[in-house]
Structures are given as C-alpha cells and as structure tokens.
Amino acid sequence: MDGPRRDVGRGPVHRRRDELMTMEFAHRRPPGSPLPGSPQHFFLGNDEGEFAHLFDSLVTVKLTGDETDGQFGVFTLEAPKGDTIPAHAHADVHEIFYVLNGAAHVWIQDGEGVVHDRVLRPGDFGYVPAGLPHTFRVEADETKIFGVCSGGFERFFAAAGRQAEEPVLPDPPYVPSTEQLMAAGKEFRNQFMPHLRLDQR
Amino acid sequence: MDGPRRDVGRGPVHRRRDELMTMEFAHRRPPGSPLPGSPQHFFLGNDEGEFAHLFDSLVTVKLTGDETDGQFGVFTLEAPKGDTIPAHAHADVHEIFYVLNGAAHVWIQDGEGVVHDRVLRPGDFGYVPAGLPHTFRVEADETKIFGVCSGGFERFFAAAGRQAEEPVLPDPPYVPSTEQLMAAGKEFRNQFMPHLRLDQR
C-alpha cells in the first residue's frame, strides 16, 4: 500500500451486516461451545467462552454473530507485555478496544494517512471503524482488553491461531504459519500490512 | 401481558439494523459530545463519553449507532446497591451485561416463559436477545457494568432520564415521570412491564 488511501476510512458503504458475515462463519463454532449458536439468552462466568490462542494472546469469545443476527461479537484478549502486532485493516468490520487491566498502546491510521496513537489504561476506550489500518502493543503483563466487533469477526482469532481447551495464556506462544495467517486474513477479510510500521511514525 | 408469549424470544426476523435504528436517533446527539457522530476513529478516557442520569444510575455512552453504521453501541452503567428496575423487553435490540465491578442480579424470561437468573460478578457475562423480558438489581455499591446493544439503543437512557454534565452518580436519583418513561419507551421500542415481577418468581 503506497501512501495514504483516501478511499479508506471514510466509513463503509451501508450494507446488510448479516448478509456479509453471519452465514459465512457459523461453521466455525467449536464443538462443546458454551454459546447457544442462535439468539437465545445465556450466562458465562469469568473463565467461560470459546478459547483461542494467537501469538502470545488468549482470546475468549463471549458472543458471536450467531447469537446477534450478525450485528456484533464480543471477546476478551489477555496477553503479557509484548511486541507490536502486525498492522492490519478489515474493510467490513468495526472494532473497539476497552482496557480492563494493564495497558495497551494503540495506533490508528486515518483516511488521510495521519497516524493517531494513545496508551490505553483501565477504563480507556479506542474505536477503529472499518477500513482503517491499526495495530497495538501490550505494554504490561496481565493486560486484559474487552473487544466488540461487527458480528462474525470474533472468530478470526481461532482461525488465524488455534482453538484452546482452557483459559490460559499460550506457552509457548502459538505462531501461525504465513499460510494460515494469510488464509484466515482472506476468509475474514482482514488485510495484513506487515511492512506498515505505524508504531515507528 | 397474560402468561408466556410464545412468539417472543425466538429471535428477531432478519432486518436491516441500520434502517431500523440509525436514522432515527442521530438527532439525539448532545451538543459537545466527544463522540464523532460518524464512523471515524477516536479515543476516550475513563471519565469521558455522553453522560446520562436515570433513576440512581450514571450511564456513560462510549459509542453509538452513529459511529457504527447502526450495528452496535457501547456504554457503561454505574449504580449503588438498589432496587430491581422495572422489567422490560426491546423487540429489536440485543443487549449484553458484562460486570466490571460489584455485582448485579439479572433475570431473563425466555420464549417459553421460564425465568432464568444469575448474580453476575466481575468478569461474568449475560446476554439478552431481542424480545425477551428482563430486569436487574444492583447488589453492591460501586457496581459498574459494561453494556453493548444493537446500534441506537444506547441513547435510550438519556431519553428516559436526562443528560448529565459530569460523570457522577445522580444525587438525588433522577426519577422520570411516567409520561417521559413511556415516551422514551415508545421511541426506542422498549416496552415496560411494571407488573412483571421476574425477581419474585
């Protein structure tokens, strides 16, 4: 991607979220998931959900597009202090970061190519609308982030990484092959930009 | 409402969320709101957002349907130990409860009329799909709940209550008139059922 893309970041065209995402990802529901898989009520304890390991993070999915008619999904991400993840952009997916514990440095490139960043601490919030390149770096051990995303995207982490049986951090980290990461990126329309070092601008 | 309504709770018909909610509620954006009002990136500190007082609660809206093409909104709700709020159901709106601090007892009536309840503590999660009658009672002081809802509904609290200037609990509580509560309920399609004592079944 050369220079700022002026068509990125102006917000997605209105389209039916449920058409885009829901039907595509129901097959990704892991066996034994405590989530109902359709719009029903349910409760989860702190240590319950669908677990995934990706790099050094534990992702716990609490709610998916299957339960919300494709509207939104909810997950937590826990990680130790670590490196900046590869920059990426998802054309159809809006995403929030809400820090529960620890700290995360977030970088977001807007539609004009300007990079905005902030270190988010407990209670702080960041919003990345669809299409904007972004990245983050966990700055403290025991960081826990609450994420909300357009429905369906919450299953990206298990697709790019691997399903986990228990809510523990991966040890050692699970490093996907380039093939797995690119395939998951293609399936979830998450474009990686490994040479875009937003954290160095 | 006599007896269980079997048509409620089977999940909403697929419909365009943005058609239902977004265009209707943009006029509710308060002057001086730190939210951008469209799909742009932004950050908020722990004490920032759009503030509302309703009964004994402080609601801080962090994200609305205006920023997410009508997909979802995000808010926190803070309250002292208190009474069960009136039972209600919103036909088009999915909603989560995620407890950050304190404790909240949540009751949800499913499509068969069976009431399910749990006391949620930090890290616990509850999901109420559209149409199901539900209520909650804050069980401890300094309770803080993170909410996510279908886009647009996050502005219900300011409509039923009042906009607040600062992130403090209302003192005294702001008790809306029946007229205000019913008008907000009608506007946001939130049906109150004051005689439905889910907490006594």
Side-chain angles (χ1 to χ4, degrees), chain A residues 12 14 17-18 40-46 67-69 71 94 98 116 118 123-125 127 146 150, chain B residues 12 14 17-18 40-46 67-69 71 94 98 100 116 118 123-125 127 146 150:
Chain A
H14 274 235
R17 289 285 329 144
D18 51 293
Q40 299 175 47
H41 89 281
F42 66 106
F43 297 109
L44 292 174
N46 185 41
E67 287 82 33
T68 66
D69 296 310
Q71 290 172 21
H94 301 306
Y98 181 78
H116 306 265
R118 187 167 312 183
D124 292 340
F125 173 94
Y127 178 59
F146 192 90
S150 304
Chain B
H14 273 238
R17 290 286 328 145
D18 50 295
Q40 299 176 46
H41 89 281
F42 66 105
F43 298 109
L44 292 175
N46 186 40
E67 286 82 32
T68 65
D69 297 310
Q71 289 173 21
H94 301 305
Y98 181 80
L100 301 176
H116 306 265
R118 191 170 305 187
D124 293 339
F125 172 93
Y127 179 58
F146 192 89
S150 305

Side-chain angles (χ1 to χ4, degrees), chain A residues 126-146:
Chain A
Y127 178 59
V128 187
L132 295 192
H134 57 285
T135 184
F136 69 94
R137 183 173 67 213
V138 171
E139 301 285 15
D141 285 346
E142 299 187 6
T143 287
K144 188 170 183 178
I145 300 168
F146 192 90

Side-chain angles (χ1 to χ4, degrees), chain A residues 45-177:
Chain A
N46 185 41
D47 283 341
E48 295 182 290
E50 295 178 4
F51 310 122
H53 285 160
L54 177 56
F55 296 110
D56 56 3
S57 300
L58 165 68
V59 173
T60 304
V61 173
K62 302 286 187 181
L63 185 73
T64 77
D66 295 348
E67 287 82 33
T68 66
D69 296 310
Q71 290 172 21
F72 56 91
V74 166
F75 58 94
T76 60
L77 184 149
E78 294 167 85
K81 185 170 157 67
D83 299 324
T84 311
I85 69 166
H88 55 284
H90 20 79
D92 309 301
V93 169
H94 301 306
E95 185 174 37
I96 78 157
F97 293 77
Y98 181 78
V99 174
L100 301 175
N101 197 56
H105 198 149
V106 178
W107 290 261
I108 306 171
Q109 180 176 279
D110 70 19
E112 309 303 312
V114 177
V115 180
H116 306 265
D117 72 296
R118 187 167 312 183
V119 177
L120 303 181
R121 295 188 172 88
D124 292 340
F125 173 94
Y127 178 59
V128 187
L132 295 192
H134 57 285
T135 184
F136 69 94
R137 183 173 67 213
V138 171
E139 301 285 15
D141 285 346
E142 299 187 6
T143 287
K144 188 170 183 178
I145 300 168
F146 192 90
V148 184
C149 58
S150 304
F153 191 75
E154 61 286 342
R155 291 223 168 97
F156 166 78
F157 306 98
R162 70 173 172 205
Q163 187 185 343
E165 298 308 307
E166 294 182 356
V168 296
L169 289 177
D171 182 18
Y174 178 82
V175 183
S177 64

Side-chain angles (χ1 to χ4, degrees), chain B residues 119-188:
Chain B
V119 177
L120 303 180
R121 294 190 173 85
D124 293 339
F125 172 93
Y127 179 58
V128 185
L132 296 191
H134 57 285
T135 185
F136 68 94
R137 184 174 65 215
V138 171
E139 301 285 15
D141 285 345
E142 299 187 5
T143 287
K144 189 170 183 177
I145 300 167
F146 192 89
V148 184
C149 58
S150 305
F153 191 74
E154 61 286 342
R155 290 219 169 100
F156 166 77
F157 306 99
R162 71 175 171 202
Q163 187 186 342
E165 298 307 308
E166 295 183 353
V168 295
L169 290 176
D171 183 16
Y174 177 82
V175 183
S177 65
T178 303
E179 289 76 16
Q180 182 183 4
L181 198 57
M182 293 299 110
K186 185 174 178 187
E187 180 179 357
F188 287 80

